[in-house]
Amino acid sequence: MIWNETKECMSRDEMTNLQSSRLVKMVNRVYHNVEFYRKKMQQMGIEPGDITGIEDLNKLPFTTKADLRDNYPFGLFAVPKSDIARVHASSGTTGKATVVGYTKKDIAIWSECVARILTMAGVTREDSIQVCYGYGLFTGGLGVHYGTEYLGATAIPMSTGNTEKQLNIMMDFGATVLASTPSYAMHLAEALEETGRLDKIKLKAAIMGAEPWTDNMRTHLETKLNIHAFDIYGLSEVMGPGVAGDCIYHKGLHIQEDHFLPEVIDPHTLKPVEFGEVGELVFTTLTKEALPLFRYRTKDLTSISYEKCECGRTQARISRFKGRSDDMLIIRGVNVFPSQVESALLNIDGVKPQYLMVVDRVGNLDSLEVLVEVEERYFSDEIRELDKLTKKIAKVLQSALGIAVKVKLVEPKTIERSEGKAKRVIDKRKLY
Amino acid sequence: MFVKQLCVFLENRAGRLNSILDILRDNEINIIAVSLADTSEYGILRMMVSDAQKGKAVLKEAGFSAMVNDVICIKVSHKTGSLSKVLDILLAENISVEYMYAFANGKYASAVMKFSQPEKVAELIEKDGIEVWSSEEITSMSF
Ligand SMILES: [Zn+2]
């Protein structure tokens, strides 16, 4: 099944024509409504008229997460506040969130994109989708929820956590589709297996997103739950989940290209990479009203293919992610930057200790352990004081990152330093 | 009244205690008493040594977190109930023991103790004639 055959199976010429006309309109609108971009374009000596089609895309300035933060909260919005129907936000590295906004039409398009991707995964009106992404400022929960309703399927809005309740509802309500992070799906699968309830569920598919995963995990999940597991990709700055997703052939994720124009660039030279080469994925939004973005740098490393898929769709496909061009980690679906840990530790007493983040996956759940060197100023002759210190650091980190953190005190000079710079992260999960 | 105690932070890893002891030996610092307080992940080594300040300096040099602090070292005669007699006096004043460890030396047993209110303990020691080791006595002890 294809939700919107006209858009998903367009010829390349039709697609580039559509993208070009949308881009021209979008650039015009942004120039006149967003001071930030107008100034940038003026500095670069370009006018809206210089952009006549997607071949002119590389004349436009890039946008980064820092630009959104610098214009916190609503500085990049292109519509009056009264036209904003909803906002979402993601936590930022400096404590300030990145805020994104949507008009009613933006939400309708978002729902359409999610509905396309759900259909790609075989979901129909007959299905019930248990949505285990966080509902709230995070785009995951509400994004998938609205797409589910738009498609006409039944949404079971569970949000995250409470495994036992999730399983009971899954069985009692007969959920046929699970939408969650892959690691949480593994956790649910294991809980079902341990309690001998694997045969009590009606799941046929899982829509996995918000964190990287491997083909091994897919196979494992599919075998254990007897389902098909699909990828859904998105990022709040660009929209949320629904920017791209994969079909039953699992040959890359189909981008909703009529709304999001992709590029792959070399993160160092910022020039487009050779056709099919790996580079940083960049998106220009083509239809977004509230928060249109020029060339948003996702920092995700991937390659693009424009070949028609066996499923019949002609949309560009991005390969499984090969990593990040920055140091962001995704832990239990939450974006974590080492700089967040650093500034949180700095806030404890104004001096930055040596630390090391160790990310692992224990029993399918991600764990973050932060090793902190006990420098002389932290040291005490009493266990109780060191215990207090451990708890305090854990609490500070937990509130800064939004995930549980285990803190371990280690001796000074035990965290490896290479060329004077300490290594900050060890990721044992091997997700890429 | 107070004596100097040397404290070192150490992780629960093989060989850590050994390397601390090696450093002290190489620097001719004599250990008079030692105790290890540990949790599942780390420990604090507390010691009476012949030169606490030098001990701290050499351990720091070797990359350890070390500190010197004041504790009280009580003389306890080898008689049943003599330690509890001392503790009773302190307990009556609502003073609690943060930690303690003991060692024996000639006709006395000795208890190194850290209390919740060290100044008040000092007063009581004075008033009740509780016998304590002085810094000089401790540092010159050898076995
Ligand atoms: Zn396909």
Side-chain angles (χ1 to χ4, degrees):
Chain A
M1 267 285 290
I2 294 173
W3 179 259
N4 188 334
E5 212 166 324
T6 324
K7 294 290 162 38
E8 294 176 73
C9 305
M10 268 183 172
S11 73
R12 188 48 34 196
D13 280 352
E14 285 174 313
M15 180 60 83
T16 52
N17 283 341
L18 177 66
Q19 289 173 330
S20 288
S21 74
R22 284 181 170 175
L23 179 69
V24 169
K25 275 190 223 154
M26 181 259 192
V27 170
N28 242 299
R29 207 161 48 80
V30 170
Y31 185 85
H32 292 107
N33 291 294
V34 186
E35 195 192 356
F36 169 80
Y37 280 125
R38 183 166 57 246
K39 280 191 174 155
K40 266 209 164 173
M41 286 172 71
Q42 284 166 347
Q43 277 163 16
M44 296 167 79
I46 46 167
E47 285 177 11
D50 296 334
I51 310 298
T52 57
I54 60 168
E55 59 282 3
D56 295 321
L57 185 63
N58 59 12
K59 292 178 184 165
L60 291 170
F62 286 103
T63 311
T64 63
K65 199 177 175 77
D67 292 325
L68 270 85
R69 217 161 38 228
D70 293 346
N71 291 281
Y72 176 88
F74 308 136
L76 294 184
F77 285 10
V79 296
K81 189 68 204 317
S82 53
D83 288 348
I84 301 287
R86 194 200 296 170
V87 289
H88 280 289
S90 63
S91 64
T93 55
T94 55
K96 250 189 199 175
T98 313
V99 182
V100 294
Y102 306 81
T103 63
K104 271 189 182 163
K105 193 179 155 211
D106 289 336
I107 290 173
I109 287 174
W110 187 5
S111 306
E112 155 85 18
C113 289
V114 173
R116 287 183 196 176
I117 286 163
L118 292 176
T119 306
M120 218 181 275
V123 179
T124 70
R125 299 176 44 96
E126 308 304 320
D127 286 303
S128 295
I129 307 185
Q130 183 152 342
V131 184
C132 311
Y133 292 117
Y135 279 68
L137 284 175
F138 176 57
T139 50
L142 285 168
V144 172
H145 183 104
Y146 271 61
T148 302
E149 288 187 352
Y150 185 70
L151 182 142
T154 308
I156 310 174
M158 293 301 293
S159 201
T160 54
N162 203 340
T163 301
E164 191 49 34
K165 190 171 163 194
Q166 297 272 9
L167 297 180
N168 285 332
I169 296 276
M170 188 184 286
M171 290 183 293
D172 295 349
F173 294 8
T176 53
V177 180
L178 171 70
S180 76
T181 61
S183 54
Y184 193 60
M186 296 279 267
H187 178 69
L188 291 175
E190 221 130 85
L192 281 170
E193 189 176 39
E194 272 166 26
T195 51
R197 293 182 286 182
L198 273 174
D199 57 342
K200 301 250 177 358
I201 53 160
K202 297 199 172 69
L203 287 189
K204 61 171 203 187
I207 317 287
M208 314 275 83
E211 67 182 22
W213 55 318
T214 59
D215 279 332
N216 266 346
M217 281 176 77
R218 184 203 296 278
T219 314
H220 192 82
L221 208 54
E222 290 186 331
T223 318
K224 193 164 264 185
L225 292 174
N226 192 22
I227 55 164
H228 287 291
F230 298 87
D231 247 322
I232 187 167
Y233 171 74
L235 55 176
S236 64
E237 293 82 359
V238 175
M239 178 176 77
V243 174
D246 71 347
C247 66
I248 193 72
Y249 296 98
H250 303 309
K251 299 250 172 78
L253 282 69
H254 294 271
I255 300 173
Q256 302 313 312
E257 265 192 280
D258 49 329
H259 299 295
F260 312 103
L261 180 58
E263 295 171 85
V264 178
I265 61 159
D266 178 320
H268 303 290
T269 64
L270 305 182
K271 297 270 183 284
V273 295
E274 291 293 318
F275 213 75
E277 293 287 297
V278 172
E280 182 182 326
L281 182 62
V282 171
F283 280 115
T284 299
T285 66
L286 293 174
T287 50
K288 265 175 85 191
E289 294 181 332
L291 184 62
L293 297 177
F294 291 158
R295 310 182 81 193
Y296 183 76
R297 295 186 56 184
T298 66
K299 311 279 179 177
D300 287 317
L301 299 176
T302 184
S303 59
I304 286 193
S305 152
Y306 287 94
E307 261 171 65
K308 184 177 173 179
C309 182
E310 288 166 68
C311 70
R313 292 176 182 84
T314 53
Q315 299 159 314
R317 278 170 291 149
I318 43 175
S319 70
R320 264 278 167 81
F321 292 110
K322 306 279 193 283
R324 298 269 308 170
S325 64
D326 64 5
D327 54 3
M328 189 182 87
L329 296 157
I330 302 176
I331 304 171
R332 265 174 261 149
V334 177
N335 297 350
V336 174
F337 288 91
S339 55
Q340 279 174 290
V341 171
E342 188 148 336
S343 61
L345 289 173
L346 191 64
N347 280 337
I348 293 175
D349 66 352
V351 191
K352 188 191 79 197
Q354 292 296 338
Y355 68 92
L356 176 68
M357 302 164 64
V358 181
V359 189
D360 205 350
R361 184 158 283 173
V362 183
N364 295 316
L365 285 183
D366 293 340
S367 67
L368 171 60
E369 183 174 52
V370 177
L371 275 48
V372 179
E373 286 187 2
V374 178
E375 284 148 43
E376 216 176 305
R377 67 205 153 85
Y378 290 139
F379 185 42
S380 160
D381 62 317
E382 292 179 29
I383 295 277
R384 187 169 45 163
E385 291 300 315
L386 289 179
D387 208 39
K388 237 194 250 171
L389 174 72
T390 311
K391 288 196 177 111
K392 184 174 163 189
I393 297 174
K395 201 175 151 201
V396 168
L397 289 176
Q398 184 157 348
S399 72
L401 306 179
I403 51 169
V405 179
K406 182 175 187 293
V407 171
K408 184 180 175 185
L409 300 180
V410 298
E411 287 169 21
K413 311 276 189 299
T414 51
I415 293 172
E416 189 193 323
R417 290 150 175 85
S418 51
E419 288 158 24
K421 243 188 123 186
K423 192 172 163 55
R424 294 304 183 198
V425 181
I426 293 177
D427 195 337
K428 296 180 174 169
R429 298 175 299 178
K430 304 206 169 42
L431 293 173
Y432 294 109
Chain B
M1 181 77 57
F2 293 102
V3 294
K4 298 289 175 202
Q5 173 181 252
L6 175 62
C7 304
V8 196
F9 177 84
L10 81 163
E11 277 171 59
N12 288 357
R13 277 191 288 134
R16 299 312 292 159
L17 180 59
N18 239 340
S19 61
I20 293 175
L21 299 179
D22 285 351
I23 292 162
L24 295 177
R25 182 201 58 211
D26 293 348
N27 288 278
E28 291 174 347
I29 293 161
N30 190 16
I31 300 172
I32 291 131
V34 63
S35 112
L36 177 64
D38 70 332
T39 69
S40 58
E41 270 157 6
Y42 61 85
I44 302 172
L45 190 66
R46 305 181 184 119
M47 292 172 280
M48 292 282 111
V49 294
S50 55
D51 188 339
Q53 290 300 349
K54 186 180 167 196
K56 178 186 164 181
V58 296
L59 287 170
K60 234 181 114 173
E61 184 72 32
F64 284 94
S65 270
M67 64 181 279
V68 171
N69 68 337
D70 288 333
V71 290
I72 291 170
C73 188
I74 295 173
K75 290 186 193 179
V76 190
S77 61
H78 287 300
K79 250 190 273 161
T80 315
S82 38
L83 180 59
S84 68
K85 213 167 87 188
V86 174
L87 290 180
D88 284 345
I89 295 170
L90 300 172
L91 197 66
E93 299 288 330
N94 275 326
I95 290 160
S96 55
V97 179
E98 301 289 350
Y99 55 79
M100 71 160 285
Y101 51 103
F103 63 101
N105 184 30
K107 69 177 212 178
Y108 290 105
S110 310
V112 179
M113 308 186 85
K114 171 132 181 223
F115 297 102
S116 55
Q117 305 163 62
E119 290 76 23
K120 199 159 172 198
V121 173
E123 268 174 45
L124 289 168
I125 284 172
E126 201 80 29
K127 200 177 102 210
D128 291 290
I130 298 171
E131 276 192 279
V132 297
W133 292 108
S134 72
S135 253
E136 296 70 37
E137 286 172 310
I138 291 281
T139 53
S140 60
M141 275 179 193
S142 61
F143 302 91

